[in-house]
Amino acid sequence: MPTQILVLIGTKKGVFIARSDEERRHWELSGPFCETWPIQHVIGDRASGIIYGAGGNEWFGPAVWKSTDLGRTWTHSSAGLAYKEGEEPVKSVWSLAAQHDRLYAGVEPAGLFVSDDGGDNWSHVEGLQHHPTRSEWNPGGAGLILHSLVPDPEDPQKIWIGISSAGVFYTGDGGQTWEPRNRGTRADYMPEGQNYPEFGQCVHCLVKAPGGEDLLYQQNHCGMYRSADGGQTWQSIEAGLPSSFGFPAATHPRDPSTLYLLPLNGDIRGRYVPDAKAAVWRTRDGGETWQDLRNGLPQENAFFGVLRQAMATDRLDRAGVYFGTSGGALFASRDEGDNWACIAQHLPSISSVETMVVQQ
């Protein structure tokens, strides 16, 4: 059966899908789907072949869209995506993760929901809201959002999450109880002497390396970090990068020591690529050293940003790497970042990029 690669693109005006064969030389773009709703995150579930899109806002309300035919038709549901009466309403769904026949959704204001029927109905994982620090969580620039969802692929009870700006939290019992896991990550915006709090860090992106170990990487508002113990302790790996500030991070599909970043020039300097010259930065040794990858990327007048969920890899050999910009351009590399090409442009601002490999 021929292999097809799908790049799933969430934008401010719906979902788009770029398709190619395993050579990844020529791409076809379709969309917009989901009635041009604002979509924060789109994923493909490898187990079921279903594509899901997370979206909404205060005008549309929250919902998760679903396509069972690789994007040709879509339905959506918000059944159960609500807090109890009298609590602040759910504004939007920001993140999705499919694992162990369950679908998880992270929402704004920060909370976690789960579906056991493919996104048709949802239930609130209330343990997170009951955490004793909950009343002290403060919103980041985009709001109080649960944007990173990392279920463990081996143990269905283990989940890591990232919340702006409350930090990283972990559960080992399926969401009944949670603990902050931020030791070693800075919060430079805190008063002097309080830069390493138990919680309150503004995590931007949290990803898990492939393999059975609890190796995590985190792009933070205040640095880039690596944890070899499931987030119990973090070590800075920002030395050698052009900036300590950025949003997206993407792991290699097979090599736990290979990671991709796209740093920006800082939180108050415009939040675009440094010197307006685009580069993806790659480490092959877990953050000990970094290499800038620029071949095929614009090296002048590149005043774009890349959001926290807008970078991904595929699982082909060699792995492809993809990122989407705030200006609506989608870039792709079919050789693990060595060379790049723009495969779509003039899209709405891109919120997320994920991949899906299918056999047809």
Side-chain angles (χ1 to χ4, degrees):
M1 298 176 66
T3 298
Q4 187 179 49
I5 175 71
L6 276 60
V7 181
L8 311 174
I9 311 159
T11 81
K12 299 302 182 184
K13 297 181 181 180
V15 170
F16 293 79
I17 300 177
R19 290 177 167 86
S20 184
D21 60 19
E22 58 187 327
E23 293 297 318
R24 297 165 292 182
R25 294 182 182 273
H26 306 287
W27 295 86
E28 295 182 359
L29 185 71
S30 58
F33 303 112
C34 304
E35 299 176 8
T36 67
W37 273 43
I39 299 295
Q40 306 291 355
H41 196 201
V42 190
I43 66 168
D45 181 3
R46 290 175 58 181
S48 67
I50 297 174
I51 300 174
Y52 296 99
N57 58 20
E58 292 178 79
W59 176 261
F60 288 94
V64 173
W65 291 78
K66 174 167 83 170
S67 175
T68 60
D69 53 14
L70 298 180
R72 295 176 183 86
T73 60
W74 296 78
T75 58
H76 70 86
S77 175
S78 59
L81 280 171
Y83 294 133
K84 293 178 180 178
E85 185 175 353
E87 297 182 3
E88 185 177 358
V90 174
K91 298 177 182 178
S92 178
V93 183
W94 268 81
S95 55
L96 296 170
Q99 197 69 260
H100 307 294
D101 297 321
R102 309 192 88 185
L103 183 64
Y104 294 93
V107 305
E108 178 192 6
L112 181 64
F113 288 78
V114 65
S115 173
D116 291 312
D117 60 6
D120 293 333
N121 296 278
W122 296 88
S123 58
H124 183 205
V125 182
E126 296 186 4
L128 184 61
Q129 303 301 107
H130 296 156
H131 194 273
T133 65
R134 176 64 182 85
S135 63
E136 300 177 69
W137 297 355
N138 292 308
L144 186 61
I145 56 175
L146 197 166
H147 52 67
S148 292
L149 268 171
V150 187
D152 188 275
E154 306 297 329
D155 186 345
Q157 298 298 305
K158 295 169 60 174
I159 307 170
W160 294 264
I161 60 171
I163 299 173
S164 292
S165 53
V168 172
F169 288 78
Y170 166 80
T171 180
D173 56 17
Q176 296 182 58
T177 60
W178 296 81
E179 62 182 72
R181 291 206 165 174
N182 302 292
R183 185 179 301 168
T185 56
R186 302 191 311 275
D188 293 339
Y189 42 81
M190 292 288 195
E192 186 175 353
Q194 302 178 36
N195 302 124
Y196 289 88
E198 180 186 13
F199 67 95
Q201 289 86 341
C202 189
V203 55
H204 282 180
C205 184
L206 177 70
V207 292
K208 189 176 188 299
E213 303 300 322
D214 285 348
L215 176 59
L216 303 173
Y217 295 99
Q218 175 189 162
Q219 173 67 71
N220 195 284
H221 190 105
C222 305
M224 183 65 209
Y225 301 91
R226 178 183 189 269
S227 174
D229 55 13
Q232 296 182 69
T233 58
W234 293 90
Q235 295 78 42
S236 172
I237 56 171
E238 63 197 62
L241 292 170
S243 168
S244 62
F245 181 88
F247 286 97
T251 57
H252 190 279
R254 292 171 293 276
D255 181 2
S257 296
T258 296
L259 180 75
Y260 298 89
L261 299 180
L262 206 151
L264 303 181
N265 65 349
D267 58 346
I268 60 173
R269 298 181 58 195
R271 301 193 177 198
Y272 54 82
V273 292
D275 302 317
K277 299 177 180 180
V280 172
W281 290 73
R282 180 181 65 198
T283 180
R284 296 287 201 187
D285 52 18
E288 295 292 330
T289 61
W290 296 92
Q291 177 188 10
D292 57 324
L293 310 171
R294 300 179 183 271
N295 192 30
L297 296 177
Q299 294 303 293
E300 60 180 3
N301 300 323
F303 296 100
F304 59 72
V306 178
L307 298 178
R308 71 184 82 244
Q309 292 164 306
M311 175 180 280
T313 58
D314 67 33
R315 54 187 178 90
L316 298 182
D317 189 18
R318 302 172 69 191
V321 190
Y322 309 84
F323 71 88
T325 74
S326 56
L330 179 67
F331 291 90
S333 169
R334 60 191 186 94
D335 55 11
E336 305 204 348
D338 290 341
N339 298 280
W340 295 87
C342 182
I343 63 172
Q345 54 186 330
H346 311 309
L347 299 178
S349 180
I350 295 175
S351 305
S352 75
V353 173
E354 299 285 2
T355 66
M356 186 178 187
V357 177
V358 298
Q359 305 294 327
Q360 289 193 321

